[in-house]
Each structure stands twice: as C-alpha cells, then as structure tokens.
Amino acid sequence: MNATVSAPSSTAGLDAWLRYLEALHPSEIELGLERVERVRQRLAIDPAPAQVITVAGTNGKGSTVRYLETMLRAAGYRTGVYISPHLRVYEERVRVNGVQLDAGEHVRAFQAVEQARQDTSLTYFEFGTLAAFWLMQQQALDVWILEVGLGGRLDAVNCIDPDVGIVTSVGIDHIGFLGDDRTGIAREKAGIFRPGKAAVIGEPDFPAEVFSALAARDIHPVRVGTDFDYQLAADGQSWRFSGRHSQLHDLPLPSLPLPNAATALMALELLPLPVSEQALRQGLLCASEAGRLQFVAGDPDYLLDVAHNPHAAAFLANYLQQRFPQRPVFAVVGMLKDKDIPGTLAELTPVVERWFVADLEGPRGAAAAELAAALPGASVHEFPAVTAAFQAACQAARESDSQPLVLVCGSFYTVAKIPEAE
C-alpha cells in the first residue's frame, strides 16, 4: 500500500473514492486470490441462496452476461450483474434488475470495503469487485451474474464459487499476464469451473489438452459443437438452438453475437431455475450492449464495437461482411500499445476501405503513427484524437456516393469518446 494515501472523508463523493482506489495499490493488476479472499471473509460476502453464474473468456463476456440478464429478468428473476470495465461511467459496473446503482450506493460500498480491509492492500479492480459483491448482497437476488476481469483462476471475481461457469472464447490477449499460448490461457480461464458444478464452453476450438485436467477434478464441461449447437436459418432472419435437453426453432435474431446467445441458452438449461421459452425469446430480443455491435442510424450510419484483439476483430470483420456486404467501411481506430496492433488491424483489412487512425491518450495509448505503420499500402489518415478522426470519417462518408458505414473500434477508450464527437 502507498502509505501517503489517505482514505476519503465520510462526505467524499464517488470521484474522490475512485482517485483513492487508483492510488492505493502500487500496481494496476496483481493476480491472486489470497488478499481479496481475506477481505471477502471479513465482509461476510456469501451469495447463497442465490445462484451464481460466472463468465470468463477472451471475448464475448459482456454480451453473454447481457443475454443471461435479459432472459432471466424476462422470466421474473431478480438479477445482480457485475461487469468491467465500464464504458463511460463507473456506475455501469453494477446493475440490479437491469438498473445501475447511483454513485452514493457505490460510495457506501467503498466505505464498507475500506473498513474491512484493514491493512490488506487491494488493487483498483479488487477493491471495486468486493464493493460490487457487497452491493449485490444488500439485495434479495435470485441470480448473481459475474464477469471475470482478466483470466479466470486468479481473477478477484473467482473468490465466489459459481453454480454455472462459462468460458465464451479463448484467444491471445493480455500476453504479459496470461502468456501467448492458447492452452495455457484456456487453463487459466477454466480455473473458474468448480468440481461437480455445471460448466459451459462456447469456444469451438478449445484446447483438447485441458479436458483431461478438468476431468481429473470432476469437471465435465458441455461444449459447443458437441453437447450443444446452433444454426442460422437459410434466410438469415432466425436461428435454431440444440441443447442437451431442448430444441428451439425460429428464434429471433438478436442484435448481439449469435454464438454468445447459444452459450447463454446452454447455461440457462443447466441452471436449476426454470425459464420459459417465451422468456428466452423475449430476452433475446431485448439484449443489447453499448459499444458492442452497436448500430447507430444517422448521417452517416456508424457502428461501435470495442474489438481490441485479433480474435474479436476477426468476428467483427465476418459480421460486417454478413450484415453490410454492399457497403464500404471507413474505420476509426484507436488502440492501446500493449495490444496486438498488427494482428488486430490485419483481421479488419479485408473489409475496410479507408482508415482514420488516432492517438489514444493516456500512458497505455498507442500513437496514430504506430497504427498507420501496421497498414502499409492502405488509405490511412492520422489524427491527434479519436473525436477528430471520427468527425473526419463522418464528413468523408457524407461526401461519398456509396453510403459508407463508419466503424469505430480498437478499444473501450476509443468507443467511449464518440458521444463527445456527435
């Protein structure tokens, strides 16, 4: 702990507490459960009798969480959701019955964690995670839906035992913490699974070497393509789901990624709470997430997506080809320098006609010149800020006769800048 940092006063607001959390621990990320578990026990945090669903994965966590939330709420259950990071305001991280809690509630939770931690040092994420759990425990919830921050096994969220664990996907990201080997990354993410409890894998290419280790721990996941599957209808307007015990046909096409909808349906089939087919259909139609395949109609139309690694970029490129096959794409991109910039941009190159790359502010932000260097031979325009790049892309789209779609992607930080540009 930084000994020079003092806790905010009893009357301090949320911004003061967030500054305190940022300064409290010497490192932004410190994986491990010992410290967070110690404070969790002092806070007496225990979800029981609520059911817990924990969602890990390289990509697709946020949309899977949203599907689970909307379908369970449509079935009449009281839900608590914890996600990270937030897109625009910190309050986005906790939802109770689909509603964000106000800043004062978060301050109360921070005060409770501060009192309980005593001399235990917590990172920003660990502190916020415990505060979220404390807030959810104050509610009479039927289901806790928790999104893992990084990895799985050593992530602070994993101090809570899930009744259903989900791994949505396995790709290369957070190399400095998880390594650059998919097998090792898969092991870390599968660390959220518990012996004898339900486990769902939505990654079709999950490393086979990990299954034997899971079986030795009495963990037997259901897998996409083996135990459950889904298929888009020939007309592209509906889809079907095949689970272990259910067959659903002519399902409404959701606005979020379809693979994650199927994974969420499989998880709900394993959850010991009944959910009607009507609730499933209603929840699929209601599911949307800011910054994830978020289409905004206007002059011009634009699409916001937080894709920031090759795995997510490949999915985004395929989505663009399927949904907007006749429209050129003008891409506004800002990225963090610790991401795989060449690999991510390479996945998007086949669908992007013009690039508008921008400096991303902050110590982790990459310069526009670095992005441009990864796009040799392409039509690239560099800008000092995301807002300037977005404005230029929109103006270029208005002047074009081919009705281009403006795509904004590369980072949560990039997408979060767009309302300032409207």
Side-chain angles (χ1 to χ4, degrees):
M1 173 180 173
N2 186 341
T4 64
V5 179
S6 298
S9 70
S10 59
T11 59
L14 180 58
D15 287 343
W17 273 97
L18 294 177
R19 289 193 296 270
Y20 173 64
L21 267 58
E22 290 172 346
L24 185 62
H25 195 77
S27 59
E28 181 181 1
I29 298 172
E30 183 179 336
L31 295 177
L33 297 180
E34 181 181 349
R35 291 170 297 104
V36 75
E37 175 63 18
R38 189 184 310 141
V39 182
R40 183 192 70 81
Q41 291 181 7
R42 291 175 189 159
L43 288 165
I45 292 172
D46 183 358
Q51 294 287 307
V52 177
I53 308 174
T54 299
V55 184
T58 304
N59 299 298
K61 298 188 295 292
S63 56
T64 302
V65 165
R66 183 65 82 170
Y67 282 128
L68 292 166
E69 178 187 26
T70 54
M71 289 188 284
L72 285 165
R73 289 192 63 228
Y77 294 110
R78 289 179 54 83
T79 60
V81 168
Y82 173 55
I83 64 169
S84 67
H86 58 273
L87 188 60
R88 297 185 177 93
V89 295
Y90 188 87
E91 293 93 321
E92 296 171 15
R93 295 189 178 217
V94 180
R95 296 192 296 267
V96 173
N97 292 323
V99 178
Q100 296 174 19
L101 300 181
D102 64 30
E105 291 296 302
H106 286 275
V107 168
R108 283 205 313 126
F110 290 153
Q111 290 170 337
V113 175
E114 176 64 17
Q115 182 176 1
R117 75 176 184 85
Q118 300 173 16
D119 61 349
T120 300
S121 182
L122 297 172
T123 66
Y124 178 101
F125 178 73
E126 291 167 341
F127 204 117
T129 298
L130 288 167
F133 293 169
W134 186 88
L135 284 169
M136 291 165 69
Q137 185 155 278
Q138 310 309 305
Q139 311 290 326
L141 301 176
D142 299 307
V143 187
W144 290 28
I145 308 170
L146 311 178
E147 179 184 342
V148 168
L150 192 156
R153 181 177 64 91
L154 299 176
D155 187 89
V157 169
N158 203 34
C159 72
I160 298 291
D161 291 333
D163 297 285
V164 180
I166 300 172
V167 173
T168 58
S169 63
V170 178
I172 304 298
D173 200 4
H174 300 294
I175 293 173
F177 295 95
L178 303 179
D180 58 1
D181 173 72
R182 289 187 75 251
T183 298
I185 292 172
R187 286 196 183 96
E188 288 298 311
K189 296 186 184 302
I192 66 165
F193 296 151
R194 296 296 192 271
K197 295 291 187 177
V200 180
I201 294 178
E203 166 60 67
D205 189 29
F206 195 83
E209 301 92 325
V210 182
F211 287 114
S212 58
L214 291 175
R217 296 175 52 213
D218 189 27
I219 297 171
H220 307 281
V222 297
R223 296 179 277 170
V224 67
T226 301
D227 303 293
F228 71 99
D229 215 337
Y230 63 97
Q231 186 173 29
L232 188 66
D235 62 4
Q237 300 304 307
S238 65
W239 63 293
R240 67 166 180 82
F241 169 79
S242 301
R244 273 190 162 177
H245 309 294
S246 64
Q247 298 285 328
L248 302 173
H249 299 274
D250 299 318
L251 291 168
L253 198 64
S255 61
L256 294 173
L258 192 57
N260 303 326
T263 300
L265 284 174
M266 187 66 247
L268 292 182
E269 186 177 303
L270 298 174
L271 193 72
L273 295 174
V275 181
S276 69
E277 183 174 336
Q278 179 182 356
L280 296 176
R281 291 176 178 274
Q282 182 180 342
L284 288 169
L285 284 172
C286 293
S288 62
E289 189 78 351
R292 294 176 176 88
L293 300 181
Q294 181 183 356
F295 178 80
V296 181
D299 181 24
D301 298 337
Y302 59 94
L303 185 75
L304 307 176
D305 194 85
V306 295
H308 55 268
N309 55 50
H311 187 278
F315 180 89
L316 177 57
N318 183 63
Y319 177 86
L320 290 167
Q321 289 172 327
Q322 290 185 345
R323 294 294 181 94
F324 307 98
Q326 305 302 321
R327 299 184 68 174
V329 175
F330 291 0
V332 177
V333 185
M335 294 188 68
L336 298 177
K337 59 188 176 185
D338 54 5
K339 299 299 179 181
D340 181 359
I341 292 173
T344 302
L345 299 184
E347 295 289 353
L348 291 170
T349 295
V351 298
V352 175
E353 182 175 295
R354 295 174 65 179
W355 298 87
F356 298 77
V357 298
D359 295 343
L360 202 57
E361 62 186 37
R364 294 174 61 202
E370 185 176 354
L371 275 62
L375 295 165
S379 174
V380 185
H381 311 272
E382 299 179 34
F383 298 88
V386 170
T387 51
F390 180 70
Q391 289 165 352
C394 288
Q395 183 60 36
R398 293 187 196 103
E399 295 171 355
S400 173
D401 296 328
S402 55
Q403 294 186 312
L405 175 72
V406 174
L407 168 68
V408 182
C409 66
S411 173
F412 280 85
Y413 300 103
T414 304
V415 171
K417 295 289 184 184
I418 298 310
E420 301 172 16
E422 292 176 339

